[in-house]
Amino acid sequence: MGCLTLASVASSGTDANCGRLMSAGAAECAVAAIERHAGHADVASSGCLVLASVAESGTDANCGRLMRAGAAASLVAVMDAHTNDADVVHACCRAVQHLLYSQSRRMARNDPFLRDRCAGLVDAGLVDGVLAVIDAHAGNAVVAASGCDVVRTVAHCGEDNCNRLVDAGAVKRIFATLEANANQIYIWCKGKSNEMHVG
């Protein structure tokens, strides 16, 4: 319940409230909870929601602090440990997206803050982790869309990432997701966007 409370305060409060949470150690607390209880789905999901809420509501400084606290490795570990749990990996993908797409950073390809955060996540194993999630949940429109969002953002962060995604089989996963969600317009928009970024 503690992590859910932190997530609620971060997502519903002001920037000042988010800043107070960070000053009190919310980033380190959430990452430590995920690391200590990585195998526990509820704790892992709640911890990811804290990271997502802080990253979404916060500044580049907050996102940087999350990364320094070990958020990248923790999020990838959650993906690996709970690949088949839709709720957990959806929360995890949301946290990744907000780390890479904070309020003050709108996917500028040459943005050094974005590229550094993306590099940290990719180096921690994000590519294999998110592709495994897409494999496991190709028929789940919500999770598949979250996974596609992550792939799109990682691809946007640089040509090297595009090459890593292609080598890891991202294009095949995107087409499989499109086929599994033939009637989902939202997924088709995500998938075609990914195809343009990765292909």
Side-chain angles (χ1 to χ4, degrees):
M1 292 300 291
C3 283
L4 287 177
T5 301
L6 290 176
S8 296
V9 172
S11 62
S12 63
T14 63
D15 289 343
N17 285 345
C18 189
R20 292 189 187 98
L21 285 175
M22 294 298 285
S23 296
E28 293 77 10
C29 179
V31 170
I34 293 171
E35 291 175 346
R36 190 172 297 123
H37 305 285
H40 192 290
D42 288 342
V43 176
S45 179
S46 298
C48 287
L49 289 176
V50 174
L51 301 186
S53 297
V54 170
E56 181 182 19
S57 303
T59 63
D60 285 326
N62 287 349
C63 288
R65 184 166 175 177
L66 288 171
M67 294 297 288
R68 289 191 297 276
S74 294
L75 289 170
V76 173
V78 168
M79 278 189 182
D80 292 343
H82 302 280
T83 303
N84 295 312
D85 189 313
D87 291 336
V88 176
V89 292
H90 181 236
C92 189
C93 286
R94 179 181 164 193
V96 170
Q97 269 298 95
H98 287 311
L99 273 173
L100 295 178
Y101 194 61
S102 65
Q103 286 185 354
S104 57
R105 299 288 168 187
R106 298 303 182 193
M107 294 182 70
R109 186 178 291 273
N110 295 317
D111 188 314
F113 290 94
L114 174 63
R115 291 177 70 89
D116 286 350
R117 289 201 292 267
C118 191
L121 285 156
V122 169
D123 289 346
L126 177 62
V127 169
D128 289 338
V130 73
L131 293 181
V133 166
I134 292 173
D135 272 343
H137 302 279
N140 182 322
V142 173
V143 178
S146 295
C148 285
D149 273 337
V150 172
V151 170
R152 177 172 56 91
T153 307
V154 170
H156 187 88
C157 288
E159 184 176 345
D160 288 347
N161 290 341
C162 290
N163 293 335
R164 291 181 74 163
L165 286 163
V166 170
D167 290 344
V171 175
K172 178 180 73 175
R173 266 66 166 226
I174 292 168
F175 279 112
T177 300
L178 292 174
E179 290 175 2
N181 296 275
N183 297 319
Q184 298 286 340
I185 299 297
Y186 180 67
I187 293 294
W188 272 82
C189 291
K190 297 288 186 184
K192 296 303 286 185
S193 175
N194 286 350
E195 186 183 336
M196 288 185 289
H197 277 86
V198 175

